Short mmCIF file of all heavy atoms in Angstrom, two decimals:
data_model
loop_
_atom_site.label_atom_id
_atom_site.label_comp_id
_atom_site.label_asym_id
_atom_site.label_seq_id
_atom_site.Cartn_x
_atom_site.Cartn_y
_atom_site.Cartn_z
N PHE L 258 12.21 22.17 47.57
CA PHE L 258 11.57 21.06 48.28
C PHE L 258 12.43 19.81 48.27
O PHE L 258 12.38 19.01 49.21
CB PHE L 258 10.21 20.78 47.66
CG PHE L 258 9.35 19.86 48.47
CD1 PHE L 258 8.58 20.35 49.52
CD2 PHE L 258 9.31 18.51 48.20
CE1 PHE L 258 7.79 19.50 50.28
CE2 PHE L 258 8.52 17.65 48.96
CZ PHE L 258 7.76 18.16 50.00
N GLY L 315 -1.68 23.56 54.65
CA GLY L 315 -0.47 22.79 54.93
C GLY L 315 -0.38 22.35 56.37
O GLY L 315 0.06 21.23 56.67
N LEU L 316 -0.80 23.21 57.29
CA LEU L 316 -0.78 22.83 58.71
C LEU L 316 -1.77 21.70 58.99
O LEU L 316 -1.48 20.79 59.78
CB LEU L 316 -1.10 24.06 59.56
CG LEU L 316 -0.03 25.16 59.58
CD1 LEU L 316 -0.52 26.37 60.36
CD2 LEU L 316 1.28 24.64 60.15
N ILE L 317 -2.94 21.77 58.37
CA ILE L 317 -3.92 20.70 58.54
C ILE L 317 -3.37 19.39 57.98
O ILE L 317 -3.51 18.31 58.58
CB ILE L 317 -5.25 21.07 57.88
CG1 ILE L 317 -5.86 22.30 58.58
CG2 ILE L 317 -6.22 19.90 57.91
CD1 ILE L 317 -7.11 22.82 57.90
N PHE L 318 -2.74 19.46 56.83
CA PHE L 318 -2.15 18.26 56.23
C PHE L 318 -1.06 17.68 57.13
O PHE L 318 -0.98 16.46 57.33
CB PHE L 318 -1.57 18.62 54.87
CG PHE L 318 -0.89 17.47 54.17
CD1 PHE L 318 -1.62 16.54 53.47
CD2 PHE L 318 0.49 17.34 54.23
CE1 PHE L 318 -0.99 15.48 52.83
CE2 PHE L 318 1.12 16.28 53.60
CZ PHE L 318 0.38 15.36 52.89
N GLY L 319 -0.21 18.54 57.68
CA GLY L 319 0.86 18.06 58.54
C GLY L 319 0.36 17.45 59.83
O GLY L 319 0.93 16.47 60.34
N SER L 320 -0.72 17.98 60.39
CA SER L 320 -1.23 17.47 61.65
C SER L 320 -2.05 16.20 61.50
O SER L 320 -2.25 15.46 62.46
CB SER L 320 -2.09 18.55 62.33
OG SER L 320 -3.19 18.91 61.50
N THR L 321 -2.53 15.92 60.28
CA THR L 321 -3.34 14.72 60.06
C THR L 321 -2.53 13.60 59.38
O THR L 321 -2.50 12.46 59.86
CB THR L 321 -4.56 15.06 59.20
OG1 THR L 321 -4.14 15.71 57.99
CG2 THR L 321 -5.50 16.00 59.96
N ILE L 322 -1.88 13.90 58.29
CA ILE L 322 -1.12 12.89 57.56
C ILE L 322 0.23 12.64 58.24
O ILE L 322 0.75 11.51 58.21
CB ILE L 322 -0.92 13.33 56.09
CG1 ILE L 322 -2.29 13.60 55.45
CG2 ILE L 322 -0.16 12.27 55.31
CD1 ILE L 322 -3.21 12.41 55.43
N LYS L 323 0.80 13.68 58.80
CA LYS L 323 2.08 13.61 59.52
C LYS L 323 3.21 13.07 58.63
O LYS L 323 3.77 11.99 58.87
CB LYS L 323 1.95 12.73 60.77
CG LYS L 323 0.96 13.26 61.79
CD LYS L 323 0.94 12.42 63.03
CE LYS L 323 -0.12 12.91 64.02
NZ LYS L 323 0.11 14.31 64.44
N PRO L 324 3.58 13.83 57.59
CA PRO L 324 4.73 13.41 56.77
C PRO L 324 6.03 13.58 57.54
O PRO L 324 6.23 14.55 58.26
CB PRO L 324 4.66 14.35 55.56
CG PRO L 324 3.94 15.55 56.06
CD PRO L 324 2.97 15.08 57.08
N THR L 325 6.91 12.65 57.40
CA THR L 325 8.18 12.64 58.15
C THR L 325 9.39 12.88 57.26
O THR L 325 10.51 12.53 57.62
CB THR L 325 8.34 11.30 58.86
OG1 THR L 325 8.33 10.25 57.88
CG2 THR L 325 7.21 11.07 59.85
N ARG L 326 9.18 13.50 56.10
CA ARG L 326 10.28 13.68 55.15
C ARG L 326 11.38 14.58 55.72
O ARG L 326 12.57 14.32 55.53
CB ARG L 326 9.75 14.27 53.84
CG ARG L 326 10.82 14.51 52.80
CD ARG L 326 10.25 15.12 51.53
NE ARG L 326 11.28 15.36 50.53
CZ ARG L 326 11.70 14.46 49.65
NH1 ARG L 326 11.16 13.26 49.63
NH2 ARG L 326 12.66 14.76 48.79
N PHE L 327 11.00 15.65 56.42
CA PHE L 327 11.98 16.62 56.91
C PHE L 327 12.23 16.51 58.42
O PHE L 327 12.80 17.42 59.02
CB PHE L 327 11.50 18.05 56.59
CG PHE L 327 11.17 18.25 55.13
CD1 PHE L 327 9.87 18.55 54.73
CD2 PHE L 327 12.15 18.12 54.17
CE1 PHE L 327 9.57 18.73 53.39
CE2 PHE L 327 11.86 18.30 52.83
CZ PHE L 327 10.57 18.60 52.44
N ASP L 328 11.80 15.42 59.01
CA ASP L 328 12.00 15.26 60.46
C ASP L 328 13.44 14.85 60.76
O ASP L 328 14.07 14.11 60.00
CB ASP L 328 11.03 14.20 61.01
CG ASP L 328 9.59 14.69 60.97
OD1 ASP L 328 9.38 15.88 60.70
OD2 ASP L 328 8.69 13.84 61.17
N LYS L 333 9.15 14.96 66.84
CA LYS L 333 7.80 14.46 66.71
C LYS L 333 7.45 14.29 65.23
O LYS L 333 8.01 14.98 64.38
CB LYS L 333 6.81 15.42 67.37
CG LYS L 333 6.99 15.53 68.88
CD LYS L 333 5.95 16.48 69.45
CE LYS L 333 6.09 16.59 70.97
NZ LYS L 333 5.10 17.51 71.55
N PRO L 334 6.52 13.40 64.92
CA PRO L 334 6.13 13.24 63.52
C PRO L 334 5.62 14.55 62.93
O PRO L 334 4.85 15.28 63.57
CB PRO L 334 5.03 12.17 63.56
CG PRO L 334 5.29 11.40 64.81
CD PRO L 334 5.84 12.40 65.79
N ALA L 335 6.09 14.88 61.73
CA ALA L 335 5.70 16.07 60.97
C ALA L 335 6.23 17.35 61.57
O ALA L 335 5.79 18.44 61.19
CB ALA L 335 4.18 16.16 60.82
N ALA L 336 7.20 17.28 62.47
CA ALA L 336 7.75 18.51 63.05
C ALA L 336 8.48 19.33 61.98
O ALA L 336 8.33 20.57 61.90
CB ALA L 336 8.69 18.17 64.20
N GLY L 337 9.28 18.68 61.16
CA GLY L 337 9.99 19.39 60.10
C GLY L 337 9.04 19.96 59.05
O GLY L 337 9.24 21.08 58.57
N PHE L 338 8.01 19.22 58.72
CA PHE L 338 7.05 19.71 57.72
C PHE L 338 6.29 20.93 58.24
O PHE L 338 6.09 21.90 57.51
CB PHE L 338 6.09 18.58 57.35
CG PHE L 338 5.14 18.93 56.24
CD1 PHE L 338 5.54 18.80 54.93
CD2 PHE L 338 3.86 19.39 56.51
CE1 PHE L 338 4.67 19.12 53.90
CE2 PHE L 338 2.99 19.71 55.49
CZ PHE L 338 3.39 19.57 54.18
N ILE L 339 5.87 20.90 59.48
CA ILE L 339 5.14 22.03 60.05
C ILE L 339 6.05 23.25 60.15
O ILE L 339 5.63 24.39 59.92
CB ILE L 339 4.56 21.64 61.43
CG1 ILE L 339 3.45 20.59 61.23
CG2 ILE L 339 4.02 22.87 62.15
CD1 ILE L 339 2.85 20.08 62.52
N MET L 341 8.45 23.94 58.10
CA MET L 341 8.55 24.45 56.73
C MET L 341 7.30 25.26 56.36
O MET L 341 7.40 26.32 55.72
CB MET L 341 8.73 23.28 55.77
CG MET L 341 8.89 23.70 54.32
SD MET L 341 8.84 22.33 53.14
CE MET L 341 7.12 21.86 53.28
#
Side-chain angles (χ1 to χ4, degrees):
F258 192 84
L316 292 175
I317 296 175
F318 178 82
S320 60
T321 54
I322 304 300
K323 298 184 183 300
T325 59
R326 180 181 180 86
F327 307 116
D328 291 350
K333 295 181 179 180
F338 185 84
I339 292 177
M341 182 189 69

